Amino acid sequence: MLKVRTKGMDVPKTPRIYSEAHWVQFLFPAFMSLFPPGGPGLPEFRSLLVSGCIHATAPIHLCLSLLRKSPPSAQAIIVTPSASKFAESLSSFSEAWFSQYALTGETALLMSRIRILSPETPAELAVILSELHIVKDRIQVPSPLSKNTVLSSSPVLLVLHDVSSYFFPTPVVKHEWTAAPYINLIIKSLALQRIVADTNPEFRLAVVENGLDQLNLPLVSNDDADDPRLHDTHSLVALLTKYFEKTIHISHLGSLASSGSGGDLESESEDGESFSFESRDQAGFSLLSLKWRVRKSDSRLSKLTRKEAVFEFD
């Protein structure tokens, strides 16, 4: 069921003419979207936190949707801990629209304006966020850091993608993290957004996190405080919500059942998943909720047997 909160608009609770997806497109035109063209748009934002079960192509679609409405010189930046893992996730998800259009025509030109950076550690990311600046004259480029920190034009979007993966323990890195380093990265990115927005009001920040729901960290390390309560772990989602103008949480509702033909969400396909989308403002009020499904269908472009993801909105 579609739920929408608006200001100054008389919106019926149950539209009689439009489907839920069409109604969302009327209220929030897809100027910014996590989906392929034709999917529902997002409420306006300057800073956005997206958490939960996020489809792999969401950061790309968010960049593309903004670049379509931006000057030809504009660019978008995606910062992810591992560019190779990001590429693998795109390949594994195998979205039908992405496979067909990403490397052709206008979309290919837009894709060339998306810059992907992959700092290997939180410290490297902190340097990028601190040193990122615009230099139109390449002769002025000063240092080896310029490869990742100097831009020729102001970006319209900075996406921090799966930064929480730095802070999960691994067989190689068993460092006991606290919440502070992660929150410091978020504060640096928000500060950067405000600085750049002074000269480019169109600049936006989006933090897109798949693993944030599973990341619980103490506020301080065991050696830094005597009060045992400070060593309790806390959900980073709950800690970060207050920093962002808008938040979105995507929930996995389950696999689609194979039986039935009534056209409801649970009976469309034997090879697919259903999801729900919830958007809130900084005060915690619900702005938008929506349900959709992702079906896996045979590829129309490949002679090989391959399943590709297709979004379906009611």
Side-chain angles (χ1 to χ4, degrees):
M1 181 63 185
L2 173 66
K3 298 179 182 178
V4 178
R5 175 179 174 267
T6 61
K7 295 181 179 180
M9 296 180 63
D10 183 15
V11 180
K13 294 182 179 179
T14 306
R16 296 182 179 180
I17 299 177
Y18 299 102
S19 69
E20 290 187 357
H22 288 142
W23 191 248
V24 170
Q25 289 176 330
F26 170 74
L27 293 170
F28 304 110
F31 172 50
M32 296 178 287
S33 180
L34 300 173
F35 302 98
L42 299 176
E44 172 66 31
F45 71 87
R46 296 299 169 188
S47 62
L48 173 70
L49 172 64
V50 185
S51 61
C53 299
I54 307 165
H55 47 282
T57 52
I60 299 291
H61 286 307
L62 185 56
C63 292
L64 292 175
S65 63
L66 274 167
L67 290 173
R68 287 189 186 98
K69 303 295 183 179
S70 301
S73 61
Q75 59 182 312
I77 302 171
I78 297 176
V79 180
T80 183
S82 173
S84 60
K85 288 184 179 179
F86 183 42
E88 288 172 8
S89 68
L90 293 174
S91 177
S92 177
F93 184 61
S94 188
E95 182 191 302
W97 184 93
F98 195 79
S99 299
Q100 184 172 357
Y101 296 107
L103 299 178
T104 60
E106 180 188 5
T107 304
L109 292 176
L110 295 175
M111 289 287 292
S112 69
R113 291 158 56 190
I114 300 175
R115 185 174 180 179
I116 298 179
L117 305 178
S118 53
E120 296 182 357
T121 66
E124 290 184 23
L125 174 54
V127 170
I128 290 175
L129 295 174
S130 298
E131 299 292 330
L132 201 66
H133 61 286
I134 301 165
V135 176
K136 294 184 179 180
D137 185 356
R138 286 290 178 180
I139 298 177
Q140 301 176 15
V141 173
S143 72
L145 289 175
S146 62
K147 179 180 179 181
N148 289 331
T149 61
V150 173
L151 305 175
S152 59
S153 61
S154 181
V156 294
L157 177 67
L158 171 64
V159 179
L160 299 188
H161 174 256
D162 279 354
V163 173
S164 61
S165 63
Y166 286 128
F167 301 94
F168 284 98
T170 67
V172 178
V173 180
K174 297 183 179 180
H175 189 284
E176 293 186 1
W177 292 102
T178 65
Y182 182 92
I183 294 176
N184 283 338
L185 290 175
I186 297 302
I187 292 174
K188 282 181 179 291
S189 63
L190 289 167
L192 175 65
Q193 190 278 325
R194 294 187 182 97
I195 292 171
V196 177
D198 285 341
T199 55
N200 177 17
E202 300 304 314
F203 180 61
R204 295 169 172 85
L205 168 71
V207 176
V208 181
E209 288 279 18
N210 275 294
L212 200 60
D213 290 350
Q214 289 77 45
L215 186 59
N216 298 283
L217 296 174
L219 296 178
V220 298
S221 66
N222 292 334
D223 299 330
D224 290 340
D226 296 328
D227 189 342
R229 291 175 297 179
L230 294 177
H231 305 151
D232 294 341
T233 59
H234 298 265
S235 166
L236 287 189
V237 173
L239 291 174
L240 293 178
T241 298
K242 63 182 179 181
Y243 291 104
F244 291 87
E245 180 187 5
K246 302 283 173 33
T247 60
I248 289 174
H249 187 75
I250 299 177
S251 300
H252 178 225
L253 301 181
S255 300
L256 301 175
S258 58
S259 60
S261 57
D264 58 27
L265 189 65
E266 287 77 26
S267 61
E268 287 288 334
S269 170
E270 61 182 352
D271 190 7
E273 308 288 330
S274 60
F275 298 86
S276 68
F277 171 111
E278 182 75 21
S279 175
R280 296 182 179 273
D281 64 13
Q282 203 163 21
F285 291 103
S286 178
L287 296 171
L288 168 67
S289 63
L290 181 70
K291 290 182 180 180
W292 74 92
R293 51 192 174 267
V294 178
R295 296 180 61 187
K296 289 286 188 176
S297 60
D298 292 333
S299 171
R300 298 179 181 179
L301 301 177
S302 174
K303 295 181 180 180
L304 301 176
T305 302
R306 189 177 74 170
K307 296 288 186 179
E308 292 187 331
V310 178
F311 292 95
E312 293 183 348
F313 302 93
D314 294 325

